Each structure stands twice: as structure tokens, then as C-alpha cells.
């Protein structure tokens, strides 16, 4: 029916319905945290990083490390931007502190 009020709001003075508002809810974008292979960072160190920063069980961390070693890179986790950025900076800081060249990047999904 024309001018039917389906808004849940009080009718306007001329008794026509207020226009429905389209509220577009957007999910926050997610970012992949990717570890890169190199020839020098020890395998055990990479496994310990994946366990401690990305909260993976040891077996999954070993599998991810081997995937990076074989294929050059792997996604270790997917997070909102600020979490992804923090994890990337933590990886880089710990690796630098131990003088390993391990590299880590983030990429929008
Ligand atoms: N390629 C390294 C080695 O043979 C191991 C390694 C794995 C390094 C994963 C970095 O992100 C990495 N010691």
C-alpha cells in the first residue's frame, strides 16, 4: 500500500512514512601475515616464532615452516590490520634481536 509506514518510527505530520535507511555494515578488512624464506634463519627459530606469535601447535608450526622453506612463503595468520601489523613488527624485532634475516610482510586479503 502506498505511504504505508514500515519504519517503526512515529508517522510524519502528513502521515507519510519516513524513508527506510539502508545501513550498510562492512566487515573490517583482514590482512595476511606472511613469513618469507631465506637461507640463514634456523628452522627451529622459525618454528618457535610460529608457535609463540601465531599461537600454532608445534606440529602445525613445523608444517608451516617446511612449507615456507619449500615454496618461499606461507600465510601464518589472518587478522585485522592492527593485529597483523603488531605481529609482523614482533617477528621482525625478535629476528633482528637474534641477528636472523627472517622477513615478514602483511598483505590485504
Ligand atoms: N630456509 C631456512 C633454512 O634452511 C629455514 C627457513 C624456513 C627460513 C622458513 C625462513 O621463513 C623461513 N635454514
Amino acid at each position: 500500500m502506498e505511504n504505508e509506514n514500515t519504519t517503526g518510527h512515529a508517522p510524519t505530520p502528513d502521515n507519510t512514512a519516513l524513508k527506510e535507511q539502508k545501513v550498510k555494515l562492512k566487515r573490517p578488512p583482514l590482512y595476511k601475515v606472511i613469513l618469507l624464506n631465506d637461507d640463514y634463519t634456523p628452522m627451529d627459530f622459525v618454528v618457535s616464532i610460529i608457535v609463540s606469535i601465531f599461537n600454532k601447535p608445534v606440529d602445525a608450526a613445523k608444517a608451516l615452516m617446511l612449507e615456507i622453506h619449500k615454496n618461499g612463503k606461507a600465510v601464518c595468520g589472518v587478522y585485522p590490520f592492527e593485529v597483523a601489523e603488531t605481529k609482523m613488527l614482533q617477528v621482525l624485532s625478535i629476528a633482528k634481536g637474534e641477528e636472523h634475516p627472517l622477513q615478514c610482510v602483511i598483505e590485504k586479503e
Side-chain angles (χ1 to χ4, degrees), residues 1-72:
M1 209 191 293
E2 222 177 14
N3 283 341
E4 183 102 328
N5 185 348
T6 58
T7 64
H9 299 291
T12 48
D14 65 353
N15 216 23
T16 58
L18 292 171
K19 263 236 163 73
E20 295 273 359
Q21 296 223 357
K22 285 232 170 80
V23 180
K24 198 73 184 162
L25 293 175
K26 268 204 194 159
R27 294 180 194 288
L30 294 176
Y31 290 78
K32 298 179 280 193
V33 184
I34 300 168
L35 286 188
L36 306 179
N37 190 37
D38 65 71
D39 291 339
Y40 304 104
T41 304
M43 290 181 168
D44 285 351
F45 177 81
V46 177
V47 172
S48 74
I49 283 282
I50 296 171
V51 169
S52 61
I53 304 295
F54 300 101
N55 306 313
K56 303 286 187 194
V58 173
D59 283 0
K62 284 181 183 169
L64 266 174
M65 182 280 293
L66 288 174
E67 185 185 337
I68 303 164
H69 179 70
K70 265 173 101 179
N71 303 337

